[in-house]
Amino acid sequence: MLGVMNTRDAQQLADDKNLDLVKVSPNAKPPVCKILDYGKFRYEEIQRLKEAKKNQKAVVIKEIRMSVRVEEHDINVKIKNCIKFLEQGSRVKVAIRFRGREMAYTEQGKQVLLDFAERVSDIAVIEKSPKIEGRNMVMYLAPKKDK
């Protein structure tokens, strides 16, 4: 800590030590500077950013589509795929597409989605309950958190 000093004096001090004068916090009043090796400073900053990026996890949403008149075997296949996605840690969007006059049977579609959620309830929780979006009814499932 050298305290508040003139810019020229600080630059001269840095030059004497064969180092750089780096503004660490340029928006502060007065600006905060450090005398250090700028190449090493940049390298450490990049390494810190890489480490932070490595620890981030992107949320992946997989989608499963069905119709109102889905058969039992088809539901079983979709459940198997849903379980695989949930075990990978992805969220799953389960959608029922209403075609033509099927819009009159939205209650049946809701029942199919709730039945689907019931079958995967041992590893999934309903994140967003069934809701109509245009000609589709959508429900989101998320993997259960084991504690």
Side-chain angles (χ1 to χ4, degrees):
M1 294 291 292
L2 299 174
V4 179
M5 63 176 12
N6 190 349
T7 308
R8 288 187 186 143
D9 295 339
Q11 186 63 50
Q12 183 63 41
L13 202 61
D15 289 341
D16 291 344
K17 295 181 180 179
N18 289 330
L19 294 172
D20 302 308
L21 183 66
V22 179
K23 282 188 182 179
V24 179
S25 176
N27 296 332
K29 297 288 182 191
V32 178
C33 297
K34 280 187 178 179
I35 297 175
L36 47 84
D37 182 12
Y38 184 66
K40 184 177 179 184
F41 174 75
R42 275 196 50 211
Y43 175 77
E44 289 172 352
E45 191 68 27
I46 290 170
Q47 293 302 317
R48 199 171 322 124
L49 290 173
K50 279 184 184 177
E51 189 65 32
K53 191 174 183 181
K54 192 188 313 180
N55 291 335
Q56 288 180 349
K57 187 176 179 186
V59 176
V60 179
I61 299 177
K62 299 285 189 170
E63 183 173 356
I64 293 178
R65 290 188 192 159
M66 297 184 279
S67 72
V68 182
R69 296 174 280 124
V70 66
E71 292 293 325
E72 187 65 28
H73 179 264
D74 295 336
I75 285 183
N76 292 337
V77 170
K78 306 271 185 190
I79 287 172
K80 190 170 121 184
N81 286 329
C82 180
I83 289 171
K84 182 176 74 173
F85 295 149
L86 290 166
E87 286 173 348
Q88 292 172 355
S90 303
R91 291 172 46 207
V92 179
K93 174 183 176 181
V94 185
I96 289 189
R97 184 175 57 238
F98 296 104
R99 301 169 74 183
R101 295 182 185 168
E102 288 179 351
M103 282 301 289
Y105 302 108
T106 55
E107 278 304 313
Q108 285 181 347
K110 186 174 185 177
Q111 201 56 46
V112 170
L113 286 177
L114 292 175
D115 179 50
F116 189 91
E118 183 66 34
R119 290 183 181 197
V120 294
S121 63
D122 54 328
I123 65 162
V125 294
I126 297 176
E127 195 171 66
K128 290 185 185 172
S129 58
K131 181 180 162 191
I132 294 242
E133 294 179 356
R135 296 191 74 76
N136 296 322
M137 185 174 282
V138 178
M139 171 180 69
Y140 288 90
L141 300 173
K144 273 189 178 174
K145 303 273 192 255
D146 291 335
K147 293 183 179 178

